[in-house]
Amino acid sequence: AMLPVFCRDYGWRGIWMAVFHSISAFCNAGFDILGTENNLYPSLTGYTGSPIINITIMLLIVIGGIGFLTWDDICEHKWHFHRYRVQSKVILAITGFLIVVPAAFFFFEDFSALPTGTQLLVSFFQSVTTRTAGFNTVALSAMSSASKGIMILLMLIGGAPGSTAGGMKTTT
């Protein structure tokens, strides 16, 4: 999904950029290779308002971060949530909570200078990526102290057991 955007911006090198960032996002690694001589560590700040890049990265982070046993439940039982293991139910509920509540906080606390759609996108992106991936689409130094505190808590919690994510784990 990111290939057309990166190829538009980087030419043939965009193929490697799309593959690299896809793997980095799924593995919750947060590595990016978008730096230049003038700006060594931009992360994804050049794509603040790009729904394709933001949503794709967020989905890959969540897919890698909920764990392989949870995905086994999802694939085996489809939409029959009551048949999932208790661990999968806890992981999905906590993951949803840890995405929506901090995103709402970031939306109202920071990014008010951005258009509403971009503000919503950035808020959700920061909520998802902070837990273990470490990408960013805005300058973290511009965020409030309260938001930075929330981000530290999210980093501490991390992802689910049996996932590609780090941290203490959502079930803890």
Side-chain angles (χ1 to χ4, degrees):
M2 295 185 291
L3 186 65
V5 176
F6 283 141
C7 282
R8 178 196 70 207
D9 295 345
Y10 298 100
W12 289 106
R13 186 172 171 238
I15 296 169
W16 168 243
M17 304 287 257
V19 170
F20 183 90
H21 286 88
S22 296
I23 294 168
S24 181
F26 175 79
C27 293
N28 282 249
F31 297 127
D32 72 80
I33 52 175
L34 298 174
T36 63
E37 271 187 40
N38 298 333
N39 189 2
L40 294 176
Y41 308 107
S43 192
L44 298 169
T45 55
Y47 299 99
T48 301
S50 172
I52 292 172
I53 298 295
N54 281 262
I55 292 170
T56 303
I57 295 283
M58 284 189 285
L59 286 174
L60 287 167
I61 290 169
V62 171
I63 287 168
I66 63 173
F68 298 107
L69 289 176
T70 304
W71 276 111
D72 181 53
D73 268 350
I74 292 169
C75 291
E76 185 176 335
H77 302 295
K78 308 290 184 243
W79 294 104
H80 302 288
F81 190 75
H82 65 281
R83 293 185 184 167
Y84 290 7
R85 296 176 191 98
V86 172
Q87 177 177 338
S88 296
K89 292 177 184 178
V90 169
I91 288 168
L92 291 172
I94 294 298
T95 297
F97 177 83
L98 291 174
I99 291 172
V100 172
V101 172
F105 181 82
F106 295 148
F107 182 83
F108 292 111
E109 181 69 18
D110 295 303
F111 318 128
S112 59
L114 299 172
T116 305
T118 304
Q119 185 180 7
L120 190 63
L121 194 61
V122 168
S123 298
F124 271 100
F125 189 87
Q126 284 310 124
S127 179
V128 169
T129 192
T130 303
R131 293 221 339 265
T132 64
F135 292 109
N136 62 298
T137 55
V138 292
L140 300 180
S141 59
M143 295 180 74
S144 69
S145 295
S147 291
K148 290 176 187 174
I150 297 292
M151 290 170 60
I152 290 169
L153 289 174
L154 290 171
M155 286 185 250
L156 181 65
I157 295 168
S163 73
T164 60
M168 285 188 334
K169 304 302 176 195
T170 54
T171 54
T172 303

